[in-house]
Amino acid sequence: MRRGIATVCLSGTLEDKLTAAAAAGFDGVEIFENDLVVSPLSPAEVRRRCDDLGLSVDLYQPFRDFEAVPPPVFEANLRRAERKFDVMEQLGADTMLVCSSVSPDAVDDDDLAAEQLHTLGVRAAQRGMRVAYEALAWGRFVDTYDHSWRIVRRADHPAVGLCLDSFHVLSRGGDLALIRTIPGEKIFFLQLADAPRLHMDVLQWSRHHRLFPGQGAFDLTAFVGHVLATGYSGPLSLEVFNDVFRQADPRRAAVDAMRSLLGLEESLGEPAIAAPELTGHAFTEVAVDEATGPQLAAALTAMGFAHTGQHRSKPVQLWTQGEARVLLNATGGPTEISALAVESADPARSAERAESFHAPVLPREHRAGEADLSAVAAPDGTAVFFCRDGWLSDFTPTGSSAAGAGLLGTDHVSLSQPFDNFDEAALFYRTVLGLHPEMPTEFAAPFGLIRSRAVTNPANTVRIALNVALLRRGEWAPGVPDPQHIAFTSDDVLATAKAMHAAGAPLLEIPANYYDDLDARLAPPPDLLAALREYSVLYDRDEHGEFLHFYTEVLGSRVFFEVVQRIGGYRGYGAANAPVRMAAHRRLRLARQSG
Amino acid sequence: MRRGIATVCLSGTLEDKLTAAAAAGFDGVEIFENDLVVSPLSPAEVRRRCDDLGLSVDLYQPFRDFEAVPPPVFEANLRRAERKFDVMEQLGADTMLVCSSVSPDAVDDDDLAAEQLHTLGVRAAQRGMRVAYEALAWGRFVDTYDHSWRIVRRADHPAVGLCLDSFHVLSRGGDLALIRTIPGEKIFFLQLADAPRLHMDVLQWSRHHRLFPGQGAFDLTAFVGHVLATGYSGPLSLEVFNDVFRQADPRRAAVDAMRSLLGLEESLGEPAIAAPELTGHAFTEVAVDEATGPQLAAALTAMGFAHTGQHRSKPVQLWTQGEARVLLNATGGPTEISALAVESADPARSAERAESFHAPVLPREHRAGEADLSAVAAPDGTAVFFCRDGWLSDFTPTGSSAAGAGLLGTDHVSLSQPFDNFDEAALFYRTVLGLHPEMPTEFAAPFGLIRSRAVTNPANTVRIALNVALLRRGEWAPGVPDPQHIAFTSDDVLATAKAMHAAGAPLLEIPANYYDDLDARLAPPPDLLAALREYSVLYDRDEHGEFLHFYTEVLGSRVFFEVVQRIGGYRGYGAANAPVRMAAHRRLRLARQSG
């Protein structure tokens, strides 16, 4: 199955876009007219560039406002079309996309539309070309795929067929089964885009919020399944208008796009390296320097961890408590979560799968006798390791054992994502690790809106929370920049908080107003409320259960810890309480700056 | 008339917000519950802080999902209300905002809603408080102001009144005249927000896109006029949820907010210093350094300008051609448009008005005998001078005279705005200079979407184009950063281009594809097309006329020039051609970086 991408999906000049598409392994491109118009390359030069890059030019697009118009307008439109055929000839493109008209010149007359498309088909055929007619979801008279198909049938010319665009079809809802009644050879082109479910003007939705397949809420698998069932044999081609992708590095966006198609193909039953089961968080690694290393060690100690192992060849300490494991890696670089490790039923296959989904494979550095851990880089640069067992033997036991404060394991790792890569990250974890992205949520924090999306395994033993500021932060961004944290589980968070408090852990103090409001809102039992208040433990509730959690201060510039207890089937991450945490962190930061 | 602002309008902690509101001169605040909840200040401490800052606490908000519920829920809601009355008592707030319910517990029963609000009113009155009931535009059963007014009337308690919010009222459309039938003393509170006209889910529209009055499309003047006609005597209080303001410097946003109220009050007939007529662009100043000074001088020379004057005391050169005037100011700092000067019928009054609208007044630096030009700083830092005549005598004539290439004057100055200040800038020019903001437009450029909005005087002799990237630029931003340019007028742009070309001006070359597409799209007469192509002149057309224009290369890092000719009543700025210019500038930049 050939894979294509419209140049409008990517940022930059046409030259930037073609290079990026080829580097990501696409077979072909749709050339978006405006990209060509601003280019100094002639269409013939673009064709040569594409040839050099191994790209076919699958579609020239869009041609607008052609059909169902009065004769003089039609004559002008034919002239315009001929000029574009000239361009296509030079480009080596044989298919032109014609969108259903939004022109005030158009009339509501399917026969006229069909007749004029027939004429266009005759002209196209004379040049060995063809016309793919597409119903825009906001077309003036033709806005559904079945309507466009009626007109194509009526046009009755071998060079006039259909372009199906998943956005235009799925944004309108309606019955997809009719797709299967269309002969595959009459579907000239298939454009794919996903999107979040938004309740807004469909044109604005389309122009700003499209996503690559697997990043949104549309069922692309079902849609493409219907199309393939017709015998359609053209490319799967992405056409995504997205405000972020339009300004993001096209080289990365093209890889993201390719990953989305690979994921879609897998969901359609194409052979792929199946994702081995992930069973939990093996460890999380924090890079530290000379100042923050002792700070984190002291915090972990007060939290009941012990430095139980020392890496045989690297400056890496293993800190454990129950199944909770933190590595402190004295890289000397910025203090941050540098790696997360998931337990895989088959680490080697996990790594193979990751590579097949274009995850950047990180160089393996290990000595003889040490575990050969495979790792790939997530979009935010965090290393993701796959491991099963054996890796612990790389650490020489120190003989220490954890005092313990009731921590059992790791609940989740929370990572702020680079602004341009939030949707890429969810797709990365979905395809590369086989995790399930939950619905994105948004909440108002003291310094702007935050968008959050968790990815989990079916058993919820691996949870990664991805966060991003809704708008890229500017100069006024006094919160903790790009915070990251590790959340550990406890089955008695109040006892854990008490123990950590007694041991002098740097726990975050929560203001009294929070508890007064909690009392007013949810009215927890008075003794519970009193205990929450005493130990600065936060509380949330959903229809499935309850959530108790508390935080440490920020250690270094952006890393902190959380302890959580899930009671019943609570599914969230306490987002309602995140603003309280953020304001408290901000206060400490201010106090330190001025103190 | 008292002026208030809801803390939710501003970014930061509650402390940040109160400080900013007071500094901008507000009389009172609405305390948004979440701002208090995350604060370490107790309500009593907040009250003291407000007292110290000279702020009253006009409203505590919001209280949600109270009315029209079954008895057990009602009991819980009353308990919750009492807790919030406790908070309000400490805060010194006597009015609580109650939003119409969105709760699944609520039923569609106006009598029950009224009865329960009556009970709440009794409780409030016992504590010397009152309840302002507001119809959310997305309320479950009560979503219009007239419906909320029917319920308030039925509740029939002196402590139960109405809160009118311009967004909720105006987003729904409908008849405003009914407002005048409400007794003023039953309108307990008035919340003001503007918004752009968007076709989307009203809740999302409200939560993300509200603007300060004068920044959007709503007729706040008419709305507030109706409310004031009732005898309403409470504050004009801003309640604006805006993604950008939520993350922007609250000190600036509060000044912007205050400016919006001052503008609104003026439109309502409050006395203000009337804006003197502006008649044209007097000059535009470009700051240059040792490298760019000669580069700009050479470019201006080739464009037919002459260095006709030298400032008596400052390193400033006056370059003129016709009525087009450019100052080159050898500041040695970054090369940028550092000032624009408008001709005012009364410069001193223009400056007084600017100051009364909180424009930052710039220090005047002039020697005895030199013109005393008043200037204020626009939101992007550009100095805005007001002048009439006389300023030219500060320049000693050099004896040179312009060779001339047909330039007549200045058409517009185009300035990229800081991301956080785009809406602030339009309001600044509207209120401070009395210019008229045109409708904002958006277009797709090679490196992301651009939003653009022009401000003009009625005669269109002063035009300032404001631009901003729709998303703040990140690391992949290879276009010209924050471009600025001055557009000069010619009445024969082709002859001007030819003359400048012959003189070796650094004109921007436009690719052939553009002209092929122009031919296909608009089919200009062949000889015109040939001339446009030969001299890299761009072409646009609207329903009012035609636009011919060409650009120079970027001089320094971000400044360039444009020459334009408006034929007929063309109103735009050639936005359709901007992407061509941007891609061409990007190419030159790349070529220079690699060459």
Side-chain angles (χ1 to χ4, degrees):
Chain A
M1 188 142 274
R2 302 185 67 256
R3 302 181 188 118
I5 186 167
T7 55
V8 76
C9 301
L10 302 172
S11 184
T13 62
L14 184 58
E15 303 89 303
D16 295 326
K17 295 169 186 223
L18 296 177
T19 305
F26 282 94
D27 302 304
V29 290
E30 306 176 31
I31 300 272
F32 190 67
E33 185 167 80
N34 283 9
D35 287 323
L36 180 68
V37 165
V38 307
S39 174
L41 300 180
S42 72
E45 286 166 337
V46 171
R47 176 187 198 155
R48 281 195 292 278
R49 178 75 60 99
C50 287
D51 280 348
D52 293 345
L53 291 167
L55 294 168
S56 57
V57 180
D58 296 331
L59 190 77
Y60 184 74
Q61 63 126 327
F63 193 76
R64 297 177 188 281
D65 294 338
F66 176 78
E67 79 284 10
V69 290
V73 179
F74 182 58
E75 280 312 307
N77 289 351
L78 275 180
R79 174 185 180 277
R80 181 157 57 93
E82 290 285 359
R83 296 298 160 98
K84 295 303 173 184
F85 288 150
D86 294 343
V87 171
M88 289 168 60
E89 206 154 63
Q90 290 186 66
L91 276 176
D94 70 357
T95 308
M96 174 195 266
L97 176 73
V98 176
C99 302
S100 64
S101 184
V102 297
S103 167
D105 292 327
V107 295
D108 186 8
D109 182 339
D110 287 1
D111 286 327
L112 184 61
E115 180 189 317
Q116 293 182 341
L117 283 170
H118 180 96
T119 304
L120 187 64
V122 170
R123 299 284 191 101
Q126 283 165 0
R127 307 175 69 144
M129 295 175 185
R130 55 191 203 156
V131 165
Y133 184 58
E134 174 185 65
L136 297 178
W138 56 90
R140 189 152 169 233
F141 301 113
V142 179
D143 56 8
T144 60
Y145 79 94
D146 44 315
H147 195 172
S148 61
W149 169 230
R150 287 199 300 277
I151 290 174
V152 164
R153 258 190 307 187
R154 213 168 293 183
D156 191 26
H157 190 283
V160 178
L162 214 52
C163 174
L164 292 179
D165 176 306
S166 63
F167 181 88
H168 293 300
V169 176
L170 297 174
S171 64
R172 300 290 313 233
D175 183 15
L176 298 186
L178 174 69
I179 293 174
R180 290 180 178 251
T181 68
I182 305 170
E185 72 274 10
K186 291 305 278 185
I187 302 177
F188 285 2
F189 211 76
L190 178 60
Q191 293 181 315
L192 299 177
D194 202 343
R197 274 274 161 223
L198 297 174
H199 299 281
M200 65 189 300
D201 176 64
V202 67
L203 187 148
Q204 296 299 324
W205 184 17
S206 172
R207 291 217 177 139
H208 295 277
H209 302 287
R210 289 187 179 207
L211 291 167
F212 293 125
Q215 294 177 332
F218 286 169
D219 186 351
L220 272 293
T221 305
F223 173 76
V224 177
H226 288 305
V227 177
L228 295 183
T230 67
Y232 171 75
S233 60
L236 299 185
S237 190
L238 298 164
E239 196 205 27
V240 169
F241 308 89
N242 178 288
D243 291 356
V244 175
F245 303 161
R246 274 186 190 277
Q247 54 95 64
D249 186 332
R251 293 160 296 193
R252 291 190 63 148
V255 172
D256 185 29
M258 175 53 73
R259 200 174 279 142
S260 81
L261 276 185
L262 295 173
L264 178 63
E265 290 173 21
E266 181 183 32
S267 75
L268 286 160
E270 292 287 314
I273 299 165
E277 190 191 2
L278 303 182
T279 50
H281 292 271
F283 63 81
T284 313
E285 179 186 275
V286 182
V288 293
D289 62 23
E290 284 180 15
T292 57
Q295 192 189 356
L296 270 100
L300 289 170
T301 302
M303 293 173 73
F305 282 82
H307 174 196
T308 53
Q310 182 65 42
H311 196 277
R312 297 182 190 281
S313 64
K314 296 174 190 163
V316 180
Q317 301 177 345
L318 169 65
W319 290 74
T320 54
Q321 178 177 182
E323 301 289 309
R325 300 180 200 94
V326 176
L327 304 190
L328 296 184
N329 188 347
T331 61
T335 299
E336 61 183 11
I337 294 179
S338 44
L340 60 89
V342 287
E343 289 163 352
S344 164
D346 187 343
R349 269 184 86 75
S350 284
E352 275 175 57
R353 176 180 172 89
E355 197 168 354
S356 76
F357 277 94
H358 294 225
V361 176
L362 294 172
R364 302 174 181 204
E365 291 164 7
H366 67 104
R367 297 196 180 179
E370 291 178 2
D372 178 16
L373 294 180
S374 306
V376 294
D380 65 354
T382 305
V384 176
F385 283 90
F386 302 105
C387 43
R388 195 164 48 180
D389 42 33
W391 67 272
L392 277 166
S393 61
D394 290 354
F395 291 83
T396 311
T398 60
S400 299
S401 64
L407 298 190
L408 305 173
T410 301
D411 183 82
H412 65 276
V413 179
S414 176
L415 299 170
S416 293
Q417 298 301 301
F419 182 82
D420 287 353
N421 308 110
F422 184 71
D423 290 307
E424 177 188 344
L427 184 68
F428 174 92
Y429 287 106
R430 175 183 198 141
T431 53
V432 172
L433 276 74
L435 297 176
H436 170 71
E438 297 179 2
M439 288 293 290
T441 58
E442 275 176 26
F443 61 92
F447 309 106
L449 295 166
I450 303 289
R451 182 172 290 165
S452 188
R453 188 170 199 184
V455 291
T456 60
N457 66 345
N460 285 320
T461 51
V462 175
R463 299 178 193 253
I464 302 164
L466 309 170
N467 303 294
V468 74
L470 194 66
L471 292 176
R472 191 198 304 276
R473 292 290 174 81
E475 285 159 33
W476 164 263
V480 175
D482 299 334
Q484 302 182 316
H485 78 269
I486 309 172
F488 303 110
T489 51
S490 163
D491 56 9
D492 185 349
V493 84
L494 288 167
T496 297
K498 189 172 179 177
M500 290 186 182
H501 207 267
L507 304 186
L508 187 68
E509 201 177 328
I510 299 301
N513 294 342
Y514 170 78
Y515 296 99
D516 296 341
D517 178 64
L518 182 63
D519 182 26
R521 274 192 299 127
L522 301 179
D527 53 341
L528 174 61
L529 184 66
L532 295 172
R533 195 189 285 268
E534 182 172 359
Y535 295 110
S536 280
V537 175
L538 299 132
Y539 179 88
D540 194 25
R541 196 189 279 168
D542 67 12
E543 66 271 39
H544 308 289
E546 293 170 296
F547 190 59
L548 281 72
H549 60 137
F550 66 90
Y551 299 100
T552 69
E553 299 178 1
V554 175
L555 306 164
S557 64
R558 59 188 290 219
V559 175
F560 60 94
F561 299 114
E562 181 183 11
V563 177
V564 313
Q565 180 178 7
R566 295 172 185 275
I567 299 172
Y570 180 89
R571 294 191 181 164
Y573 297 82
N577 297 325
V580 184
R581 187 256 299 160
M582 289 174 182
H585 276 155
R586 148 82 163 149
R587 250 181 336 267
L588 285 172
R589 198 176 163 81
L590 266 185
R592 279 193 196 127
Q593 278 167 359
S594 65
Chain B
M1 188 141 276
R2 303 185 65 256
R3 300 179 189 118
I5 186 167
T7 55
V8 75
C9 300
L10 302 172
S11 185
T13 62
L14 183 58
E15 303 90 302
D16 294 326
K17 295 170 186 223
L18 296 177
T19 305
F26 281 94
D27 302 303
V29 290
E30 305 175 32
I31 301 269
F32 189 66
E33 184 166 81
N34 283 9
D35 286 324
L36 180 67
V37 165
V38 307
S39 175
L41 299 180
S42 71
E45 286 167 335
V46 172
R47 178 187 197 155
R48 281 195 291 279
R49 179 74 61 98
C50 287
D51 280 348
D52 292 345
L53 291 167
L55 293 168
S56 57
V57 180
D58 295 332
L59 190 76
Y60 184 75
Q61 63 123 329
F63 193 76
R64 299 177 187 279
D65 295 338
F66 175 78
E67 79 286 10
V69 290
V73 179
F74 182 57
E75 281 312 307
N77 288 352
L78 274 180
R79 175 185 180 277
R80 182 157 56 95
E82 290 287 358
R83 297 299 161 98
K84 295 303 174 186
F85 288 149
D86 295 342
V87 170
M88 289 168 60
E89 207 155 61
Q90 291 186 65
L91 276 176
D94 70 357
T95 308
M96 174 195 266
L97 176 73
V98 176
C99 303
S100 63
S101 183
V102 298
S103 166
D105 292 327
V107 295
D108 187 9
D109 183 339
D110 286 2
D111 286 326
L112 183 62
E115 180 190 316
Q116 294 182 340
L117 282 171
H118 181 96
T119 304
L120 187 65
V122 170
R123 299 284 191 102
Q126 283 166 358
R127 308 175 67 143
M129 295 177 185
R130 54 192 203 155
V131 164
Y133 184 60
E134 174 185 66
L136 297 178
W138 56 90
R140 187 150 169 235
F141 301 114
V142 179
D143 57 8
T144 61
Y145 79 94
D146 44 315
H147 194 173
S148 61
W149 169 229
R150 286 198 301 276
I151 290 175
V152 164
R153 257 188 309 185
R154 215 169 292 184
D156 191 25
H157 190 283
V160 178
L162 215 53
C163 173
L164 292 179
D165 177 306
S166 62
F167 181 88
H168 293 299
V169 176
L170 298 173
S171 64
R172 300 290 314 232
D175 184 14
L176 298 186
L178 173 68
I179 293 175
R180 290 180 179 250
T181 68
I182 305 171
E185 72 274 10
K186 291 303 279 183
I187 302 177
F188 285 1
F189 211 78
L190 178 59
Q191 293 181 313
L192 299 177
D194 202 344
R197 275 273 161 225
L198 297 175
H199 299 281
M200 63 190 300
D201 175 63
V202 67
L203 187 149
Q204 296 299 324
W205 184 16
S206 172
R207 292 221 176 136
H208 295 277
H209 301 288
R210 289 186 178 207
L211 291 167
F212 293 124
Q215 294 177 332
F218 286 168
D219 186 350
L220 272 293
T221 305
F223 172 77
V224 177
H226 288 304
V227 177
L228 295 182
T230 67
Y232 170 75
S233 60
L236 299 185
S237 191
L238 298 164
E239 196 206 27
V240 169
F241 307 89
N242 178 288
D243 291 354
V244 175
F245 303 161
R246 273 187 191 276
Q247 54 94 63
D249 187 332
R251 294 160 296 192
R252 291 191 64 148
V255 172
D256 186 29
M258 175 55 72
R259 200 175 280 141
S260 81
L261 276 185
L262 295 173
L264 178 63
E265 290 172 21
E266 181 183 33
S267 75
L268 286 160
E270 292 287 314
I273 300 164
E277 189 190 4
L278 303 183
T279 50
H281 292 270
F283 63 81
T284 313
E285 179 186 275
V286 182
V288 293
D289 62 22
E290 283 182 14
T292 57
Q295 192 190 357
L296 269 99
L300 289 170
T301 303
M303 293 173 73
F305 282 81
H307 174 197
T308 54
Q310 182 65 41
H311 196 276
R312 295 182 194 280
S313 65
K314 295 173 190 161
V316 179
Q317 300 178 346
L318 170 65
W319 289 75
T320 55
Q321 179 177 180
E323 301 289 307
R325 300 179 201 95
V326 175
L327 304 189
L328 296 185
N329 187 347
T331 61
T335 299
E336 60 184 11
I337 294 180
S338 44
L340 59 89
V342 288
E343 290 163 352
S344 164
D346 187 342
R349 269 185 84 75
S350 284
E352 275 175 57
R353 176 179 172 88
E355 199 169 351
S356 75
F357 277 94
H358 294 223
V361 176
L362 293 172
R364 301 172 179 206
E365 291 164 6
H366 66 103
R367 299 197 179 178
E370 291 178 2
D372 178 15
L373 294 180
S374 305
V376 293
D380 65 354
T382 305
V384 177
F385 283 90
F386 302 105
C387 44
R388 195 164 49 181
D389 43 32
W391 68 272
L392 276 167
S393 61
D394 289 355
F395 291 83
T396 311
T398 60
S400 298
S401 64
L407 298 191
L408 305 172
T410 300
D411 183 81
H412 65 276
V413 179
S414 177
L415 299 170
S416 294
Q417 299 300 301
F419 182 82
D420 287 353
N421 308 109
F422 185 71
D423 291 307
E424 177 189 345
L427 184 68
F428 174 92
Y429 287 107
R430 175 182 198 142
T431 53
V432 173
L433 276 77
L435 297 176
H436 169 72
E438 297 179 2
M439 289 293 290
T441 58
E442 275 176 26
F443 62 91
F447 309 105
L449 294 166
I450 303 288
R451 182 173 289 165
S452 188
R453 188 171 199 183
V455 291
T456 60
N457 67 344
N460 284 322
T461 53
V462 175
R463 298 179 195 253
I464 302 165
L466 309 170
N467 303 295
V468 74
L470 194 67
L471 292 176
R472 190 198 305 276
R473 292 290 175 81
E475 286 159 32
W476 163 263
V480 175
D482 299 334
Q484 302 181 316
H485 78 270
I486 309 171
F488 304 111
T489 51
S490 164
D491 58 8
D492 185 348
V493 83
L494 287 167
T496 297
K498 188 172 179 177
M500 290 186 182
H501 207 266
L507 304 186
L508 186 68
E509 201 176 327
I510 299 301
N513 294 344
Y514 169 79
Y515 296 98
D516 295 341
D517 178 64
L518 182 64
D519 182 28
R521 274 192 300 128
L522 302 178
D527 53 340
L528 174 60
L529 183 68
L532 295 171
R533 194 189 286 267
E534 182 172 0
Y535 296 110
S536 282
V537 175
L538 299 131
Y539 180 88
D540 193 25
R541 194 189 279 169
D542 67 12
E543 65 271 39
H544 307 289
E546 293 169 296
F547 190 61
L548 281 73
H549 60 138
F550 66 90
Y551 299 100
T552 69
E553 297 178 3
V554 175
L555 306 164
S557 64
R558 59 189 289 219
V559 176
F560 59 94
F561 300 115
E562 181 183 11
V563 176
V564 313
Q565 181 179 7
R566 294 173 185 275
I567 300 171
Y570 180 89
R571 293 190 183 166
Y573 297 82
N577 296 326
V580 184
R581 187 255 299 160
M582 290 173 181
H585 276 155
R586 147 83 163 148
R587 249 181 337 266
L588 286 172
R589 197 176 163 82
L590 265 186
R592 276 190 199 129
Q593 277 166 358
S594 65

